[in-house]
Amino acid sequence: MKITKLTLAYLLLTLGAITMLLPFVWMILTSLQPATAALTGPPLRLPHAWQWLNYSRAWHTAPFARYCLNSLLVTLLTTAGQVITSILAAFAFTHLRFYGRRLLFNGLIALMMVPGELLLIPNFVTMTRLHWVDTYAALIVPWLASIFAMFTLRQAFSGPTFTTYYAAKLDGASDWQYLWQILVPANRSTITAVAILQLIGSWNAFMWPLIITNSETLRTLPVGLVTFTSETGADYPLLMAATVFVILPLLILYLFLQKYIIAGITRANLKG
Amino acid sequence: MLNAKPTLKSTLVALLYLAPLLLVVGVFTLWPLITSFLMSGYTHYNYFTDHVGGFGAANFRFLWHDPNFHLALQHTLIFVLGVVPATVGLSLGIALLLNHLPHLATFFRTIYFLPFVTSTVAISLVWNWLFHRQNGLINLLLHTHIDWLNDPRYSLGTLIIVCIWQNLGVNIILFLAGLNHLDPRYQAAASLDGASTWQRLTNVTWPLLLPMTVLITVNAIITSFKVFNQIYALFHGTAGPANADLTLMYYLYQKFYVENQYPVAAACGVVLFVLILLVTGIAAGYFHHHAWWAGRRSS
């Protein structure tokens, strides 16, 4: 009786897993088909000659190297910025005394509830006023801080580490030294988790880069992929090869850093 | 020091630490929040000169009478009703199964979570190909010739399927975390009292998991209210056939970016915000009531 139930569970989960994997498998299979086979050939078969050339063809049809570089630059800078601003603010909220601390913190938490989409239009107007439309600054600067990341780090920093703080202060360490030499290294797994979540969000960001950039040289990978789609039309093997460029880097990252990603999600949503 | 009272000097020092975050949040979150509410009241707004001709409820009146806005509102509600119950139900079921699995639970979790790290735009393009009328895999498997993406009767359903697929993973992870937080002593006690697996599920696990379920549901509703990327990629920069997939966020995008009607778009944003606040408020009310109820029970 127990065995049949377990078999049923495995069967259902395998069925679900196949559904989850299907789009990925189909993307890769299609990307290796000859250009015409995908639309006209007999369906559902392995390509008889693997068309690895599709990848280099796609890479050179549009400036994907440039898109990749842009994505890398924007992702790394925004993630680094978010982590640094969050560490500094989280330290102030946990270890420093100042007037209006509770008020300021509650204000920030209230702002966290605001959907980012509501801010799209005024931020676009701000960018126009600053003459930042279609620049790297527009892609990076608005995303240099994240209340969400600060909130997660604040929780980690208010752990039972205050005795070390007193000890360090007694030994003559400054706040600055304590923060970077003791507190940050002690919380590196939480910081890594926060950083990776921000990195995923930044790499996959679409609406803001779509709106704020016009020139081809500033496109990030998702935006570049969409314009590539409207330009190539129905060449699905080529299209799927290009899709792999966008998806693959994070997929590899995920397989290596899964632990941190899941810990980050859990921590952020369960409040500690 | 921690127990010390704040002084002017310690406040100044703390402000230096806070300054980078506060500057960015102030300019790109607080300020736009205020201006977007103001902008929703602008009438005769000239974007190029930033000249405001007047102030009033005209933009909201426009939305009230715009058939496209009604369409967007209607589609958004259908979309939320289509995506959220299915996502929450399926992810709860899968999480419960995974939680009881003696082997391979991590392996399955890895697979189910894949969409979370995948660009919504990129994978929606793959789905666009899967739903292709002639040689798409879906029609081949089902032996049908449905025009999933170009037939207005099907296209909203297609979008719903794609979004359920994308949202499952993260919700499974959250449910798994919730299940791990439960005190195992309740299960043990129920077992000792001779409760069956099903009884333990409905009488022990489910009530304990209910607050978590509400939290996940609210999260899913808010995310679904704001759907945009998937539509843009799935229907190649349109709102689907005959506007069949026009949602509130897509309407906002069209008014703002395509038609340059900033105040109308801002008003649509305010409506979206109010809807989200409403859902959050109902959930907060539930938690308030729940805490009160739980408190009474234990006393």
Side-chain angles (χ1 to χ4, degrees), chain A residues 47-71:
Chain A
H48 51 268
W50 303 84
Q51 302 287 313
W52 294 104
L53 267 177
N54 281 344
Y55 284 94
S56 72
R57 216 156 51 87
W59 188 261
H60 293 297
T61 308
F64 273 104
R66 179 73 194 221
Y67 300 161
C68 223
L69 216 66
N70 288 339
S71 271

Side-chain angles (χ1 to χ4, degrees), chain A residues 1-14, chain B residues 101-102:
Chain A
M1 194 58 196
K2 184 104 177 101
I3 303 256
T4 46
K5 263 188 203 161
L6 213 56
T7 318
L8 191 69
Y10 276 110
L11 200 73
L12 284 173
L13 285 171
T14 310
Chain B
L101 231 50

